Amino acid sequence: MSTENPIIGLLGIGEMGGNMARELTGAGFRVVSVLKGRSAESVARAKEAGIEGAPDLKSLVAACDILFSVLPPSAAEEEARAVAECLRDAPKPLTFVEGNAISPVLVREIADLFDGMPVRFVDGGIIGQPPKDGKVPRLYLSGAGSGGLDALDGPAFEIIHLGDTIGDASGFKMVYASQTKGHNALLTAGFVAAERMGLLEAFVAELKYSQPGFLSKAEANIPRLPADAGRWVREMEEIRDTYEALGLTGGFHEGAAAMMRLLANSPFGHETRRTRDTSRGMIETVRALAPQAANENLRSGN
Protein backbone atom coordinates (compact mmCIF):
# COMPACT_ATOMS: atom_id res chain seq x y z
CA MET A 1 0.00 0.00 0.00
CA SER A 2 1.24 3.45 -0.83
CA THR A 3 1.21 5.43 2.41
CA GLU A 4 1.61 8.69 0.47
CA ASN A 5 -1.57 8.49 -1.55
CA PRO A 6 -3.63 5.37 -0.82
CA ILE A 7 -6.81 4.78 -2.77
CA ILE A 8 -9.72 4.73 -0.35
CA GLY A 9 -12.78 2.55 -0.82
CA LEU A 10 -16.04 3.27 0.94
CA LEU A 11 -18.90 0.96 1.87
CA GLY A 12 -21.81 3.22 2.68
CA ILE A 13 -22.53 6.73 1.43
CA GLY A 14 -24.65 8.04 4.25
CA GLU A 15 -24.15 11.42 5.86
CA MET A 16 -21.01 10.32 7.70
CA GLY A 17 -19.44 8.41 4.81
CA GLY A 18 -20.31 11.07 2.24
CA ASN A 19 -18.89 13.90 4.30
CA MET A 20 -15.75 11.92 5.06
CA ALA A 21 -15.28 11.30 1.34
CA ARG A 22 -15.78 14.97 0.50
CA GLU A 23 -13.04 16.00 2.90
CA LEU A 24 -10.68 13.26 1.72
CA THR A 25 -11.11 14.05 -1.96
CA GLY A 26 -10.63 17.72 -1.14
CA ALA A 27 -7.29 16.77 0.42
CA GLY A 28 -6.20 14.98 -2.76
CA PHE A 29 -7.18 11.38 -2.03
CA ARG A 30 -9.10 9.23 -4.48
CA VAL A 31 -12.27 7.76 -2.97
CA VAL A 32 -14.14 4.95 -4.72
CA SER A 33 -17.48 3.27 -4.02
CA VAL A 34 -20.13 1.18 -5.73
CA LEU A 35 -22.90 3.56 -6.80
CA LYS A 36 -25.11 1.08 -8.62
CA GLY A 37 -28.29 0.35 -6.66
CA ARG A 38 -27.89 3.33 -4.35
CA SER A 39 -30.71 5.73 -3.60
CA ALA A 40 -30.91 8.96 -5.57
CA GLU A 41 -29.90 10.85 -2.42
CA SER A 42 -26.82 8.68 -1.94
CA VAL A 43 -25.77 9.05 -5.59
CA ALA A 44 -26.18 12.82 -5.37
CA ARG A 45 -24.14 12.85 -2.15
CA ALA A 46 -21.43 10.76 -3.84
CA LYS A 47 -21.18 13.12 -6.79
CA GLU A 48 -20.99 16.14 -4.49
CA ALA A 49 -18.18 14.43 -2.58
CA GLY A 50 -16.16 13.56 -5.69
CA ILE A 51 -16.52 9.80 -5.18
CA GLU A 52 -15.57 7.67 -8.18
CA GLY A 53 -17.86 4.81 -9.16
CA ALA A 54 -16.79 1.16 -9.22
CA PRO A 55 -18.94 -1.28 -11.23
CA ASP A 56 -19.24 -3.82 -8.41
CA LEU A 57 -17.84 -4.83 -5.03
CA LYS A 58 -15.14 -7.09 -6.45
CA SER A 59 -13.81 -4.22 -8.56
CA LEU A 60 -13.93 -1.90 -5.55
CA VAL A 61 -11.96 -4.32 -3.38
CA ALA A 62 -9.37 -4.78 -6.14
CA ALA A 63 -8.98 -1.03 -6.69
CA CYS A 64 -8.50 0.31 -3.18
CA ASP A 65 -5.76 0.15 -0.56
CA ILE A 66 -7.97 1.05 2.39
CA LEU A 67 -11.65 0.07 2.61
CA PHE A 68 -13.89 1.78 5.17
CA SER A 69 -17.14 0.12 6.19
CA VAL A 70 -19.46 2.91 7.43
CA LEU A 71 -22.91 1.35 7.23
CA PRO A 72 -26.09 0.94 9.24
CA PRO A 73 -25.15 -1.61 11.94
CA SER A 74 -27.59 -4.17 10.56
CA ALA A 75 -25.63 -4.35 7.29
CA ALA A 76 -22.13 -4.65 8.76
CA GLU A 77 -21.73 -8.42 8.94
CA GLU A 78 -23.32 -9.24 5.59
CA GLU A 79 -21.21 -6.66 3.76
CA ALA A 80 -18.03 -7.86 5.47
CA ARG A 81 -18.78 -11.42 4.34
CA ALA A 82 -19.13 -10.17 0.78
CA VAL A 83 -15.79 -8.33 1.03
CA ALA A 84 -14.10 -11.44 2.42
CA GLU A 85 -15.36 -13.43 -0.53
CA CYS A 86 -13.95 -10.86 -2.95
CA LEU A 87 -10.57 -10.97 -1.21
CA ARG A 88 -10.04 -14.57 -2.25
CA ASP A 89 -9.02 -13.25 -5.69
CA ALA A 90 -7.69 -9.84 -4.65
CA PRO A 91 -4.53 -8.72 -6.49
CA LYS A 92 -3.03 -6.86 -3.49
CA PRO A 93 -3.31 -6.60 0.29
CA LEU A 94 -6.09 -4.48 1.76
CA THR A 95 -6.62 -2.60 5.01
CA PHE A 96 -10.23 -3.13 6.08
CA VAL A 97 -11.59 -0.63 8.62
CA GLU A 98 -14.69 -1.91 10.40
CA GLY A 99 -16.12 1.48 11.35
CA ASN A 100 -19.68 0.54 12.21
CA ALA A 101 -21.53 0.99 15.50
CA ILE A 102 -21.46 -2.65 16.56
CA SER A 103 -20.47 -4.59 19.65
CA PRO A 104 -16.93 -5.86 20.29
CA VAL A 105 -18.29 -9.41 20.12
CA LEU A 106 -19.60 -8.87 16.59
CA VAL A 107 -16.45 -7.03 15.52
CA ARG A 108 -14.32 -9.99 16.57
CA GLU A 109 -16.65 -12.36 14.69
CA ILE A 110 -16.27 -10.21 11.59
CA ALA A 111 -12.48 -10.13 12.02
CA ASP A 112 -12.50 -13.94 12.00
CA LEU A 113 -14.00 -13.87 8.49
CA PHE A 114 -10.70 -12.49 7.21
CA ASP A 115 -8.38 -15.07 8.80
CA GLY A 116 -5.72 -16.21 6.34
CA MET A 117 -6.58 -13.50 3.81
CA PRO A 118 -4.37 -10.65 2.51
CA VAL A 119 -5.95 -8.07 4.82
CA ARG A 120 -5.05 -5.87 7.77
CA PHE A 121 -8.19 -5.73 9.89
CA VAL A 122 -8.69 -2.54 11.89
CA ASP A 123 -11.44 -1.93 14.43
CA GLY A 124 -12.84 1.61 14.29
CA GLY A 125 -15.29 3.72 16.28
CA ILE A 126 -16.43 7.13 15.02
CA ILE A 127 -17.36 9.68 17.67
CA GLY A 128 -18.88 13.00 16.66
CA GLN A 129 -20.84 14.58 13.84
CA PRO A 130 -19.92 14.20 10.13
CA PRO A 131 -17.06 16.51 9.18
CA LYS A 132 -18.22 20.00 8.26
CA ASP A 133 -16.94 23.57 8.38
CA GLY A 134 -13.53 22.53 9.64
CA LYS A 135 -14.87 20.36 12.47
CA VAL A 136 -14.12 16.65 12.26
CA PRO A 137 -15.14 13.60 14.32
CA ARG A 138 -12.68 11.43 16.20
CA LEU A 139 -11.86 8.07 14.65
CA TYR A 140 -10.81 5.70 17.43
CA LEU A 141 -8.80 2.75 16.13
CA SER A 142 -7.54 -0.52 17.54
CA GLY A 143 -5.70 -3.40 15.92
CA ALA A 144 -2.13 -4.11 14.94
CA GLY A 145 -2.56 -2.50 11.52
CA SER A 146 -4.08 0.77 12.70
CA GLY A 147 -0.86 2.76 12.36
CA GLY A 148 -1.09 2.37 8.59
CA LEU A 149 -4.00 4.82 8.58
CA ASP A 150 -2.04 7.77 9.97
CA ALA A 151 -1.65 9.24 6.47
CA LEU A 152 -5.40 9.99 6.61
CA ASP A 153 -5.28 11.84 9.92
CA GLY A 154 -6.66 15.35 9.69
CA PRO A 155 -8.93 16.13 6.74
CA ALA A 156 -11.96 14.00 7.59
CA PHE A 157 -11.28 12.81 11.13
CA GLU A 158 -8.84 12.97 14.00
CA ILE A 159 -7.28 9.55 14.54
CA ILE A 160 -6.84 8.29 18.10
CA HIS A 161 -5.17 4.94 18.69
CA LEU A 162 -6.38 2.65 21.47
CA GLY A 163 -3.86 -0.18 21.06
CA ASP A 164 -3.65 -3.50 19.28
CA THR A 165 -6.74 -5.29 20.62
CA ILE A 166 -9.59 -5.79 18.17
CA GLY A 167 -12.78 -4.82 19.96
CA ASP A 168 -11.42 -1.90 21.96
CA ALA A 169 -12.41 0.81 19.46
CA SER A 170 -15.88 -0.61 18.91
CA GLY A 171 -16.31 -1.04 22.67
CA PHE A 172 -15.36 2.59 23.19
CA LYS A 173 -17.97 3.62 20.62
CA MET A 174 -20.61 1.49 22.34
CA VAL A 175 -19.96 2.98 25.78
CA TYR A 176 -19.99 6.52 24.39
CA ALA A 177 -23.19 6.04 22.39
CA SER A 178 -24.83 4.35 25.35
CA GLN A 179 -24.64 7.70 27.12
CA THR A 180 -25.41 10.10 24.26
CA LYS A 181 -28.03 8.30 22.19
CA GLY A 182 -29.21 6.33 25.20
CA HIS A 183 -29.88 9.56 27.07
CA ASN A 184 -31.79 10.97 24.08
CA ALA A 185 -33.99 7.87 24.13
CA LEU A 186 -34.64 8.29 27.86
CA LEU A 187 -35.44 11.98 27.41
CA THR A 188 -37.93 11.12 24.66
CA ALA A 189 -39.58 8.48 26.83
CA GLY A 190 -39.97 10.93 29.70
CA PHE A 191 -41.58 13.61 27.56
CA VAL A 192 -43.91 11.13 25.86
CA ALA A 193 -44.92 9.73 29.26
CA ALA A 194 -45.66 13.22 30.54
CA GLU A 195 -47.80 13.94 27.48
CA ARG A 196 -49.65 10.62 27.87
CA MET A 197 -50.59 11.71 31.42
CA GLY A 198 -51.58 15.22 30.38
CA LEU A 199 -48.65 16.67 32.32
CA LEU A 200 -46.38 17.86 29.52
CA GLU A 201 -46.75 21.59 30.18
CA ALA A 202 -46.09 21.15 33.90
CA PHE A 203 -43.11 18.88 33.13
CA VAL A 204 -41.59 21.43 30.77
CA ALA A 205 -42.10 24.21 33.34
CA GLU A 206 -40.38 22.22 36.09
CA LEU A 207 -37.44 21.31 33.87
CA LYS A 208 -37.08 24.95 32.85
CA TYR A 209 -36.81 25.82 36.53
CA SER A 210 -34.72 22.94 37.92
CA GLN A 211 -33.05 21.16 34.99
CA PRO A 212 -32.65 23.68 32.14
CA GLY A 213 -29.86 21.62 30.57
CA PHE A 214 -32.17 18.62 30.17
CA LEU A 215 -34.87 20.80 28.63
CA SER A 216 -32.45 22.44 26.19
CA LYS A 217 -31.15 19.04 25.10
CA ALA A 218 -34.69 17.72 24.59
CA GLU A 219 -35.71 20.76 22.56
CA ALA A 220 -32.63 20.45 20.36
CA ASN A 221 -32.55 16.69 19.92
CA ILE A 222 -36.03 15.13 20.05
CA PRO A 223 -37.26 16.74 16.79
CA ARG A 224 -34.23 15.49 14.87
CA LEU A 225 -34.18 11.93 16.24
CA PRO A 226 -36.69 10.39 13.76
CA ALA A 227 -34.28 11.07 10.87
CA ASP A 228 -31.72 8.69 12.39
CA ALA A 229 -33.80 6.42 14.60
CA GLY A 230 -34.18 3.65 12.04
CA ARG A 231 -30.42 3.08 12.03
CA TRP A 232 -30.13 3.49 15.76
CA VAL A 233 -32.54 0.69 16.70
CA ARG A 234 -29.84 -1.87 15.91
CA GLU A 235 -27.15 0.31 17.47
CA MET A 236 -29.03 0.28 20.78
CA GLU A 237 -29.30 -3.51 20.52
CA GLU A 238 -25.56 -3.72 19.90
CA ILE A 239 -25.00 -1.65 23.04
CA ARG A 240 -27.30 -4.04 24.90
CA ASP A 241 -25.16 -6.95 23.72
CA THR A 242 -21.98 -5.13 24.75
CA TYR A 243 -23.27 -4.51 28.28
CA GLU A 244 -24.53 -8.07 28.68
CA ALA A 245 -21.19 -9.50 27.56
CA LEU A 246 -19.63 -7.52 30.42
CA GLY A 247 -22.08 -8.89 32.97
CA LEU A 248 -24.13 -5.68 33.08
CA THR A 249 -27.82 -5.28 32.35
CA GLY A 250 -28.80 -4.74 28.76
CA GLY A 251 -32.26 -3.60 29.81
CA PHE A 252 -31.49 0.10 29.56
CA HIS A 253 -30.68 -0.14 25.89
CA GLU A 254 -33.34 -2.70 25.07
CA GLY A 255 -35.67 0.08 26.14
CA ALA A 256 -33.68 2.62 24.14
CA ALA A 257 -34.07 0.41 21.06
CA ALA A 258 -37.84 0.39 21.62
CA MET A 259 -37.90 4.19 21.77
CA MET A 260 -35.85 4.45 18.58
CA ARG A 261 -38.30 2.04 16.94
CA LEU A 262 -41.18 4.27 18.03
CA LEU A 263 -39.43 7.30 16.50
CA ALA A 264 -38.64 5.41 13.29
CA ASN A 265 -42.28 4.33 12.92
CA SER A 266 -43.63 7.80 13.66
CA PRO A 267 -45.13 10.18 11.08
CA PHE A 268 -41.64 11.72 10.87
CA GLY A 269 -39.73 8.46 10.38
CA HIS A 270 -39.41 9.00 6.63
CA GLU A 271 -37.24 12.07 7.18
CA THR A 272 -33.49 12.19 6.60
CA ARG A 273 -31.02 14.70 7.94
CA ARG A 274 -31.34 16.57 4.67
CA THR A 275 -35.13 16.46 4.38
CA ARG A 276 -36.33 16.78 7.98
CA ASP A 277 -38.73 19.56 8.89
CA THR A 278 -36.51 21.93 10.88
CA SER A 279 -39.52 24.08 11.82
CA ARG A 280 -41.07 21.28 13.89
CA GLY A 281 -40.36 21.67 17.58
CA MET A 282 -40.05 19.27 20.47
CA ILE A 283 -43.63 19.72 21.73
CA GLU A 284 -45.13 18.97 18.31
CA THR A 285 -42.92 15.91 17.93
CA VAL A 286 -43.79 14.54 21.37
CA ARG A 287 -47.51 15.09 20.87
CA ALA A 288 -47.40 13.09 17.64
CA LEU A 289 -45.52 10.27 19.35
CA ALA A 290 -47.79 9.96 22.40
CA PRO A 291 -50.87 8.37 20.76
CA GLN A 292 -48.63 6.09 18.72
CA ALA A 293 -46.94 4.85 21.92
CA ALA A 294 -50.33 3.75 23.21
CA ASN A 295 -50.84 1.56 20.15
CA GLU A 296 -47.42 -0.11 20.06
CA ASN A 297 -46.22 -2.89 22.28
CA LEU A 298 -42.83 -1.34 23.00
CA ARG A 299 -41.90 -3.89 25.62
CA SER A 300 -41.98 -6.72 23.09
CA GLY A 301 -40.13 -4.70 20.43
CA ASN A 302 -42.97 -4.97 17.94
Side-chain angles (χ1 to χ4, degrees):
M1 180 181 76
S2 169
T3 57
E4 293 183 0
N5 193 25
I7 299 172
I8 302 164
L10 186 61
L11 303 176
I13 316 175
E15 200 76 23
M16 180 64 75
N19 282 28
M20 284 170 47
R22 183 195 63 222
E23 299 302 319
L24 289 167
T25 58
F29 292 96
R30 289 180 60 198
V31 180
V32 187
S33 187
V34 178
L35 304 184
K36 183 179 179 181
R38 304 283 188 186
S39 68
E41 184 174 341
S42 292
V43 172
R45 186 182 294 118
K47 291 180 179 178
E48 291 171 9
I51 297 173
E52 301 175 25
D56 51 40
L57 183 61
K58 186 172 184 179
S59 300
L60 174 64
V61 169
C64 63
D65 300 300
I66 301 170
L67 182 59
F68 280 91
S69 181
V70 186
L71 298 160
S74 58
E77 184 175 10
E78 181 180 357
E79 198 73 4
R81 286 185 182 278
V83 171
E85 186 64 31
C86 293
L87 277 167
R88 298 183 188 282
D89 301 316
K92 59 182 178 180
L94 175 73
T95 296
F96 183 83
V97 185
E98 174 47 73
N100 300 301
I102 56 178
S103 72
V105 172
L106 182 54
V107 167
R108 287 190 284 267
E109 291 176 358
I110 290 174
D112 289 343
L113 298 173
F114 296 95
D115 278 354
M117 295 186 180
V119 62
R120 296 183 185 90
F121 186 92
V122 178
D123 179 18
I126 302 171
I127 303 292
Q129 295 297 311
K132 186 177 181 181
D133 299 330
K135 296 181 180 180
V136 299
R138 275 80 58 214
L139 175 60
Y140 286 85
L141 299 175
S142 63
S146 65
L149 296 170
D150 284 345
L152 306 183
D153 188 26
F157 35 70
E158 175 190 358
I159 289 178
I160 300 174
H161 294 283
L162 293 178
D164 291 346
T165 303
I166 297 296
D168 281 358
S170 54
F172 189 87
K173 166 70 175 180
M174 292 287 93
V175 171
Y176 183 88
S178 77
Q179 304 300 300
T180 54
K181 295 168 186 171
H183 188 213
N184 282 335
L186 180 59
L187 278 174
T188 304
F191 278 86
V192 170
E195 169 64 12
R196 291 279 303 142
M197 293 186 289
L199 299 172
L200 183 59
E201 291 182 3
F203 185 50
V204 169
E206 176 57 34
L207 288 178
K208 187 175 182 179
Y209 174 76
S210 62
Q211 298 289 343
F214 280 14
L215 179 58
S216 294
K217 185 171 183 179
E219 289 173 336
N221 290 346
I222 290 177
R224 68 175 178 83
L225 290 177
D228 293 299
R231 293 184 295 109
W232 289 347
V233 172
R234 176 61 183 272
E235 185 169 343
M236 295 302 99
E237 293 170 343
E238 291 292 326
I239 293 170
R240 173 203 63 198
D241 294 347
T242 301
Y243 273 49
E244 289 181 349
L246 296 169
L248 299 168
T249 179
F252 294 119
H253 295 93
E254 183 71 36
M259 287 309 303
M260 293 300 176
R261 193 175 294 109
L262 175 69
L263 287 156
N265 293 337
S266 75
F268 317 119
H270 65 281
E271 295 178 340
T272 68
R273 290 186 182 183
R274 290 191 175 196
T275 64
R276 77 178 185 86
D277 179 3
T278 56
S279 69
R280 187 184 68 249
M282 181 269 290
I283 297 294
E284 182 183 351
T285 304
V286 167
R287 285 184 167 154
L289 292 172
Q292 179 185 338
N295 296 325
E296 291 195 20
N297 186 353
L298 296 182
R299 294 185 64 185
S300 70
N302 292 331

